Amino acid sequence: MKFLALFFIMFFCNIYLFSQDLQINADLRIRDEIRNGYGTLKPDTAQLSNFISQRTRLILNYTNKNLKLTLSPQNVRVWGDVNSLSKNDINNSMHEAFGEITFDKIWSLKIGRQELNYDDARILGNADWNMQARSHDVALLKLKLDSTNIIHLGLAYNAMAEGNFQQYYTIPQYKTMQFLWYHGDFKAFNLSILSLNNGVAFIKNNQEKIAYSQTNGAKLIFTKKAIKFDITSYYQTGKVADNEVNAWYGYANFEYKFNFNLKAGCG
């Protein structure tokens, strides 16, 4: 009972608890939504929907000199989606569960289920506006060249389940992924460069094949006194199944800070 009382205080009052190397945090999000044509055209006979969704997440971080361990179980549900007497709850998941070992001042390795959240999260982001958010099963090699230059190399390979023979991968996401990310901070600007190779499985002639697409681009932010300008551009090529990919994305934004209380921008 003492443990339950302690957990209740931490959970609802947002108190952080520390032992020497352990941090415990919690995230509770409850959202009421009314949808009437969101994300798709509304059929003439359809009525609006109203529901309450909830994300409950516990975050445990253990650190010492060269090691970090994180566990983050979560439950994402709609109120009433499971019978109140049900023994099975399919809404439980592990949002993050990874270990990170630091070899020296330059190299570290982070491996397991983890969020990938880079730059403006346009290409690799945690999609935190979704109740369940997004995390990946990935090995992430980090290289810190100095205080201003960082390189990350990510590798992922997915399968449906354990098995003695090949199983088709039918989950609608990548089966294999590799990315290389560089970030540099300089006097008046910072620069990020991302190269992503995405392999998606598809079935053709009763055989599993993998189609690869590549996304390459950069983000540049320039800041000087009252002026801030950032520009982003990505180009995508390769294939999705048997279809050729040829796409690009561009973004530019300019901001000017008149004083402490007033800032204007256009993009």
Side-chain angles (χ1 to χ4, degrees):
M1 290 301 293
K2 291 182 179 179
F3 173 79
L4 291 177
L6 181 63
F7 179 80
F8 182 87
I9 294 172
M10 175 204 69
F11 196 81
F12 290 98
C13 298
N14 199 28
I15 293 176
Y16 290 82
L17 303 178
F18 292 91
S19 66
Q20 185 175 1
D21 297 305
L22 179 65
Q23 177 184 359
I24 304 176
N25 190 19
D27 178 12
L28 175 62
R29 176 186 298 184
I30 300 174
R31 182 168 66 201
D32 179 71
E33 293 185 48
I34 298 175
R35 294 185 181 180
N36 194 24
Y38 168 77
T40 185
L41 294 176
K42 177 189 174 185
D44 293 336
T45 58
Q47 302 296 316
L48 62 84
S49 68
N50 183 28
F51 57 89
I52 299 173
S53 56
Q54 176 176 329
R55 178 173 82 189
T56 308
R57 183 184 297 170
L58 181 66
I59 306 164
L60 307 174
N61 289 308
Y62 170 80
T63 57
N64 64 21
K65 183 178 179 181
N66 297 313
L67 179 67
K68 177 180 179 181
L69 298 175
T70 295
L71 291 176
S72 182
Q74 74 174 8
N75 179 281
V76 178
R77 66 184 325 101
V78 172
W79 285 12
D81 63 351
V82 175
N83 189 295
S84 59
L85 289 176
S86 175
K87 295 181 180 180
N88 300 313
D89 190 343
I90 62 173
N91 301 289
N92 296 313
S93 66
M94 185 67 70
H95 180 63
E96 287 190 299
F98 65 81
E100 182 173 359
I101 184 169
T102 301
F103 301 108
D104 52 37
K105 294 181 179 180
I106 298 177
W107 297 93
S108 65
L109 177 64
K110 182 179 179 182
I111 188 165
R113 175 162 286 261
Q114 58 191 278
E115 290 187 348
L116 297 176
N117 209 38
Y118 289 94
D119 303 317
D120 57 5
R122 174 65 66 177
I123 306 299
L124 288 175
N126 62 353
D128 200 48
W129 57 86
N130 291 309
M131 292 300 278
Q132 74 277 9
R134 175 184 287 144
S135 55
H136 304 258
D137 300 311
V138 63
L140 184 64
L141 183 64
K142 299 180 178 181
L143 173 62
K144 188 175 182 180
L145 301 175
D146 51 44
S147 60
T148 60
N149 293 277
I150 302 171
I151 296 175
H152 287 184
L153 172 65
L155 303 172
Y157 182 84
N158 294 330
M160 288 294 295
E162 293 184 10
N164 295 330
F165 304 99
Q166 182 188 32
Q167 300 180 57
Y168 293 158
Y169 191 72
T170 58
I171 297 176
Q173 65 173 1
Y174 61 84
K175 179 172 182 176
T176 177
M177 177 186 69
Q178 307 83 35
F179 72 89
L180 185 66
W181 176 78
Y182 164 80
H183 181 80
D185 290 314
F186 306 96
K187 289 184 178 180
F189 67 93
N190 61 61
L191 172 68
S192 291
I193 300 173
L194 176 67
S195 181
L196 169 69
N197 185 49
N198 200 48
V200 178
F202 68 102
I203 309 301
K204 184 176 181 180
N205 298 326
N206 293 322
Q207 291 185 339
E208 182 181 81
K209 298 182 180 295
I210 300 179
Y212 293 95
S213 62
Q214 295 76 41
T215 304
N216 301 288
K219 181 178 182 65
L220 177 68
I221 300 178
F222 174 83
T223 306
K224 189 172 183 180
K225 295 183 179 179
I227 296 175
K228 180 181 179 180
F229 178 75
D230 62 286
I231 183 170
T232 304
S233 180
Y234 291 100
Y235 176 70
Q236 194 172 75
T237 187
K239 285 189 172 183
V240 173
D242 286 328
N243 301 309
E244 298 286 342
V245 175
N246 183 17
W248 63 272
Y249 160 78
Y251 164 86
N253 184 65
F254 175 81
E255 293 181 358
Y256 185 82
K257 190 173 183 179
F258 295 97
N259 54 50
F260 184 77
N261 296 313
L262 180 61
K263 178 174 68 175
C266 63

